[in-house]
Amino acid sequence: MKRGKLLNSELNHAIGEMGHGDLMIVCDAGFPIPSDAWRIDLSITQDVPDLKTVLSAIGEDFIAEKVSYAETLPAHNPVLLETVQALFGDADHEMIAHETILGDMAAKAKVIVRTGAFDPWGNILLYSGVDVPKWFAKPGTVAPPEYAKKLKG
């Protein structure tokens, strides 16, 4: 058995397939997933599983360099925004138009993970990053400024 908490084999596979900058969308139950997208459907019933549970599990195995969400999230679902900020505090955060998430970003996603969440504007974009301390650990390597701030020591 694997050691991590994440048990879903397809979700483990998707995280393993992600390269630097690739996009994973973790969405609510109503998200219009394109028919040609790599869909991992975890939904069972209303709020099972919920976004917090799925994002927490993914966050333990996935390095998110940037997290995006709808610009309307702060006004319409501040509790979810607080959850996302707490789970991905080390990542850069960016708000974008909700329509862009539903259209352009859905088409660009490497994988879309559907939850059972009934959360308004509950579509979270996770951009794959690198483990900065490990990536820049070799003698002679110099981290660019955007990564240097993530180096400890």
Side-chain angles (χ1 to χ4, degrees):
M1 298 249 335
K2 71 185 277 323
R3 292 184 186 269
K5 292 182 179 181
L6 190 60
L7 298 176
N8 184 281
S9 62
E10 190 173 8
L11 191 49
N12 275 303
H13 176 73
I15 291 171
E17 289 285 321
M18 300 292 284
H20 190 200
D22 282 344
L23 172 60
M24 171 188 290
I25 297 177
V26 181
C27 65
D28 60 26
F31 190 81
I33 300 173
S35 60
D36 61 342
W38 179 4
R39 169 199 292 245
I40 300 176
D41 195 341
L42 303 177
S43 65
I44 298 171
T45 189
Q46 182 176 345
D47 289 321
V48 178
D50 62 19
L51 275 165
K52 183 177 182 179
T53 300
V54 174
L55 289 169
S56 296
I58 289 172
E60 291 193 23
D61 281 349
F62 181 82
I63 299 169
E65 182 169 286
K66 182 171 85 170
V67 178
S68 296
Y69 33 81
E71 62 192 3
T72 51
L73 190 62
H76 296 290
N77 198 339
V79 173
L80 177 57
L81 177 60
E82 289 175 21
T83 298
V84 171
Q85 290 172 334
L87 291 172
F88 299 100
D90 291 340
D92 295 329
H93 289 249
E94 176 185 53
M95 293 187 288
I96 59 176
H98 184 63
E99 297 76 22
T100 302
I101 294 171
L102 299 178
D104 294 343
M105 303 317 293
K108 293 178 183 178
K110 186 164 194 168
V111 62
I112 300 176
V113 180
R114 180 175 180 244
T115 69
F118 277 45
D119 274 298
W121 297 273
N123 307 306
I124 310 302
L125 287 67
L126 304 174
Y127 294 85
S128 184
V130 296
D131 185 334
V132 173
K134 290 180 181 177
W135 201 256
F136 294 99
K138 291 183 182 174
T141 59
V142 178
E146 63 270 20
Y147 292 136
K149 66 183 179 185
K150 295 182 180 184
L151 290 170
K152 295 184 177 33

